[in-house]
Amino acid sequence: MKKVITAGLSFAMAASMLAGCSSKPAENSDSGDKRVLKFDSFSGGNGEKVFTKLAEAFEKANPDVDVQLRFEKELPDVLNKENAKGEYSDVVYYNLGQPSGYTETQLNTHEVLDISDVVEEVGMDENYANSSIVQYYGDGKSYLMPLKTTPAGFFYNTELVGEGKKYDLPTTWEEFWALGDQAKQDGISLFTYPTNGYFDNTLNALLKETGGEELLSNVLNYDKDAWNTDGAKQTIDILTKLVSPDYLYSDTVSNANAKDGFTMNQQAVIDGKALFMPNGDWVVNEMADTTPEDYHWGLLPLPALEKDGERFVGSMTEQVWIPAQAKNVDDAKAFLKLSILKKALRSWLKVETLFQQILCLIRLQLWKMDIQKNSSQYMIMLLQL
């Protein structure tokens, strides 16, 4: 199960699950007299541009360092083979909660470096610094650096759903199901999902909605009676209805089980065959090649149980870390510091450096006050890249 923390009263923060395309790196280049900093990343929907920009900024500030970027779709397989030969990256961008469990394995075998000095120096917000993700072992030491926080609600086509559009945007589950019945008459499904693993944040947010912080906490801590509560049963009923034949896009399951079939389910939303799907903001870049220029993504918080009821959006962190056997630890730590210390000037959304914690927390507070309005503003900012 993915390690999860909560931020404030409204968000379940989980290690994210990414899916995306691959790219081959330029590696083993001749760096001359320069120190080499090897940065290895999963090749996913976030793309490579932000890391290229970050590497350029680091090399400009440190002209005696050669940052060698590598992006691999099957990153765990590549790194396991190299690790077996005694070869290690200096920095790894690969999240908790992936099917391979690579990061968890490295942590559980104590192959991840203590970066408490970096976390302390950058002044990370305590909500992050003291979380069970950063302090994985619960020993007061930091091992993972959260670089980006991603909202993960229901993504949809704002040209099809919204004020003045063909379909009204639902605010309650009752309105959500009614929309599904309406769209079905037009041959459009209410819901799809990319592939297995995309319900984690939906589940967390829904548990918070149906049973409050107590139910969410009990489920995450494996309380034996948690799933026997009314809130848990209501959660199961809603999820069951979401994936029932009445509302689920008919090709969802077959696509989800095909190689790279998740993109076909995501394309179904773009093509107007399904209205909503759970996802993260990486879908914008991931599907850019097949998305029409006049298409605009929207982000819907979970509908409320009743009119004017509370609504929630799950939010995920993505982590970077340093292998314990990295050869260039000093530059690796400096690289992490640079990605965070530019936080007062830029964010991930500007594609200049990586997402920073202060802006994230401010945005979460805004979402609590007007969640749909600020979710929409987030998507508008993202689409301006």
Side-chain angles (χ1 to χ4, degrees):
M1 183 176 181
K2 301 178 182 179
K3 293 186 72 67
V4 179
I5 59 175
T6 58
L9 296 178
S10 301
F11 292 85
M13 310 291 290
S16 67
M17 184 169 192
L18 302 178
C21 58
S22 64
S23 70
K24 290 299 294 180
E27 54 182 323
N28 297 326
S29 60
D30 183 4
S31 299
D33 295 330
K34 294 185 177 182
R35 300 190 304 277
V36 173
L37 179 67
K38 295 171 60 178
F39 178 93
D40 285 324
S41 172
F42 173 72
S43 178
N46 286 322
E48 303 175 8
K49 185 176 181 180
V50 64
F51 299 106
T52 301
K53 290 286 188 180
L54 184 57
E56 290 173 353
F58 188 82
E59 289 181 340
K60 183 176 181 179
N62 302 273
D64 53 346
V65 177
D66 175 24
V67 180
Q68 297 184 357
L69 302 177
R70 180 169 63 171
F71 303 89
E72 292 281 357
K73 183 176 180 180
E74 303 298 333
L75 184 64
D77 292 340
V78 173
L79 295 184
N80 278 326
K81 291 177 182 177
E82 293 180 351
N83 294 169
K85 296 186 293 184
E87 301 173 3
Y88 292 87
S89 316
D90 294 310
V91 179
V92 177
Y93 181 39
Y94 193 72
N95 300 323
L96 295 167
Q98 305 305 302
S100 69
Y102 177 77
T103 298
E104 286 89 340
T105 298
Q106 299 304 301
L107 284 160
N108 293 335
T109 54
H110 300 279
E111 296 291 339
V112 178
L113 190 72
D114 176 1
I115 56 170
S116 299
D117 54 338
V118 178
V119 171
E120 182 177 357
E121 185 171 339
V122 300
M124 186 180 297
D125 187 277
E126 290 184 1
N127 288 324
Y128 284 87
N130 298 328
S131 73
S132 60
I133 290 180
V134 175
Q135 296 184 9
Y136 185 84
Y137 302 120
D139 60 357
K141 297 179 180 180
S142 304
Y143 298 90
L144 303 178
M145 174 78 78
L147 286 184
K148 182 177 185 285
T149 297
T150 300
F154 287 170
F155 282 70
Y156 66 95
N157 178 0
T158 61
E159 301 305 310
L160 190 60
V161 184
E163 185 176 355
K165 305 301 181 181
K166 183 174 183 178
Y167 301 111
D168 292 333
L169 200 62
T171 60
T172 66
W173 283 108
E174 182 179 359
E175 293 174 355
F176 192 76
W177 305 128
L179 172 58
D181 296 334
Q182 178 188 358
K184 189 175 182 179
Q185 299 301 314
D186 299 325
I188 300 174
S189 299
L190 176 66
F191 191 76
T192 188
Y193 59 87
T195 189
N196 297 334
Y198 275 75
F199 276 97
D200 50 359
N201 287 280
T202 300
L203 175 61
N204 291 335
L206 193 51
L207 287 168
K208 178 65 187 292
E209 186 174 278
T210 60
E213 190 72 29
E214 181 180 1
L215 176 59
L216 176 60
S217 178
N218 287 343
V219 169
L220 295 178
N221 287 285
Y222 305 100
D223 184 283
K224 62 183 179 64
D225 297 320
W227 289 105
N228 293 322
T229 62
D230 291 341
K233 292 176 181 178
Q234 188 175 20
T235 294
I236 294 173
D237 288 344
I238 291 174
L239 292 178
T240 300
K241 194 170 184 176
L242 266 179
V243 297
S244 69
D246 289 337
Y247 298 109
L248 187 68
Y249 173 54
S250 59
D251 291 340
T252 296
V253 176
S254 58
N255 288 343
N257 287 285
K259 181 176 175 57
D260 293 333
F262 69 93
T263 60
M264 291 186 280
N265 285 332
Q266 293 174 169
Q267 191 66 40
V269 176
I270 296 173
D271 294 341
K273 297 178 181 179
L275 295 183
F276 298 97
M277 67 174 171
N279 221 306
D281 63 7
W282 59 80
V283 71
V284 178
N285 182 67
E286 195 168 62
M287 301 301 294
D289 291 342
T290 58
T291 303
E293 290 187 5
D294 59 349
Y295 184 94
H296 296 92
W297 289 100
L299 175 61
L300 179 75
L302 289 193
L305 296 175
E306 57 188 7
K307 183 176 176 60
D308 298 324
E310 286 189 294
R311 303 173 66 188
F312 302 96
V313 166
S315 185
M316 305 174 293
T317 63
E318 301 178 11
Q319 311 91 37
V320 67
W321 46 276
I322 301 174
Q325 299 191 55
K327 289 185 177 180
N328 193 354
V329 170
D330 290 342
D331 286 324
K333 288 185 175 182
F335 191 82
L336 296 191
K337 292 174 187 177
L338 177 68
S339 70
I340 301 298
L341 289 176
K342 282 182 176 280
K343 63 188 177 185
L345 303 176
R346 304 181 179 102
S347 75
W348 179 283
L349 298 179
K350 296 297 183 183
V351 196
E352 293 287 345
T353 64
L354 298 183
F355 195 95
Q356 49 84 11
Q357 283 72 28
I358 289 179
L359 279 181
C360 167
L361 290 178
I362 292 174
R363 188 168 293 116
L364 294 184
Q365 293 295 331
L366 288 173
W367 282 9
K368 292 176 192 177
M369 291 185 285
D370 190 345
I371 197 165
Q372 182 57 55
K373 177 181 177 181
N374 288 283
S375 295
S376 299
Q377 289 178 346
Y378 176 89
M379 294 307 299
I380 291 171
M381 293 170 66
L382 186 65
L383 289 164
Q384 290 174 343
L385 296 180

